[in-house]
Amino acid sequence: MIDRFRIFMSLKDKIALDQLPEHIAVIMDGNGRWAKQYNKNRVFGHTNGVKAVRETTEACAELGVKHLTLYAFSTENWSRPQDEVSALMKLLLKTIRLEIKTLNKNDIRLRAVGNIKGLPASTRKELEFAIEATKENKRMELILALNYSGKSELVNAMQLIASEVKSGTLSPDQIDEKTISDKLYTAGIPDPELMIRTSGENRLSNFLLWQLAYAEFYFTSVLWPDFGKEELYKAIVEYQQRERRFGKTSEQISLTKATNA
Ligand code: IPE
Ligand code: IPE
Ligand code: MG
């Protein structure tokens, strides 16, 4: 236990707090496989994933990360067996209801991205209630991606832009990157600098296609229910060791650093 604590402390201490990602996005994957290890059904995995959500949220808030987006349910996930889908919706409802107090205590604002209208009415109501109840909180934003699909989000944005062009309030040559960003579910939220995916899958699965254009990707084989503070620190430490060049050369980056130091 003492050794574990030491590793825990030293990892956290390695994080440069003045170079934190402002926004971290997470694909919480591997709940089903985690449950299988214990010969339990998939829902058992989802239930145990809630603890990882709590730990990750707490760790981000403690460090000073401003936005945390968690991919909780994709539009494609409706294709899963009906009993799993309804258990997930119930779990979501219950978790949101239970967590409002803690979110308020920790000054965390809840938001959602995705086609929220397409959620079951009871889940949607609970979600909207929690969003309203936490809207004044300032320390961090916890953004749940629910019934989310990056491609649909872009289709939706394009439809909104097309209708503005049609009505004459926008001309095609006025359309720039900001026009598009402003029409996404994430309007006003900075793009994530770091994207984490658990469970060893190296793909995006339709997550934040536009917003992750220049994010650093961190893939870990850890299954989501086993993810916790320590794993998050590991991801941030690795992120901080990467050189983000944005098309420039390494020499240019070093020069800018030296000039600014
Ligand atoms: C992630 O875990 C949770 C959701 C997609 C809701 P999975 O349920 O995808 O778990 P695996 O990938 O089957 O192990
Ligand atoms: C992505 O995980 C969606 C969420 C984490 C909510 P999936 O497990 O659904 O992704 P695929 O199907 O393996 O790509
Ligand atoms: Mg999965």
Side-chain angles (χ1 to χ4, degrees), residues 102-214:
T102 317
L103 290 173
N104 278 332
K105 196 178 90 210
N106 293 323
D107 200 16
I108 299 170
R109 178 180 180 183
L110 185 73
R111 291 179 74 169
V113 293
N115 177 10
I116 302 310
K117 288 194 190 88
L119 291 172
S122 52
T123 309
R124 198 187 71 220
K125 269 192 206 138
E126 203 62 50
L127 180 68
E128 284 168 350
F129 179 80
I131 290 172
E132 185 63 25
T134 60
K135 71 173 184 204
E136 303 299 338
N137 296 342
K138 300 270 185 289
R139 186 177 176 199
M140 188 181 88
E141 274 183 1
L142 171 62
I143 305 153
L144 297 181
L146 288 168
N147 193 13
Y148 178 86
S149 141
K151 283 194 177 180
S152 311
E153 179 181 40
L154 286 166
V155 168
N156 186 53
M158 284 176 210
Q159 286 174 342
L160 294 171
I161 292 170
S163 47
E164 286 187 16
V165 170
K166 195 179 174 199
S167 70
T169 53
L170 185 72
S171 74
D173 56 349
Q174 281 177 310
I175 300 171
D176 59 13
E177 291 185 9
K178 189 168 183 307
T179 320
I180 297 169
S181 293
D182 287 349
K183 294 285 187 275
L184 301 177
Y185 297 126
T186 49
I189 302 169
D191 288 344
E193 297 97 325
L194 170 62
M195 194 288 295
I196 300 171
R197 183 172 190 150
T198 57
S199 88
E201 306 297 351
N202 299 343
R203 56 176 172 266
L204 266 185
S205 302
N206 217 348
F207 189 40
L208 301 176
L209 299 179
W210 173 276
Q211 298 89 336
L212 293 175
Y214 243 116

Side-chain angles (χ1 to χ4, degrees), residues 26-31 33 42 70-77 80 145 148 197-199 201 203-207:
V26 185
I27 303 179
M28 313 185 284
D29 200 9
N31 294 351
R33 279 163 281 167
R42 300 180 51 82
L70 301 177
Y71 202 4
F73 193 85
S74 75
T75 306
E76 289 78 15
N77 288 145
R80 293 192 177 195
Y148 178 86
R197 183 172 190 150
T198 57
S199 88
E201 306 297 351
R203 56 176 172 266
L204 266 185
S205 302
N206 217 348
F207 189 40

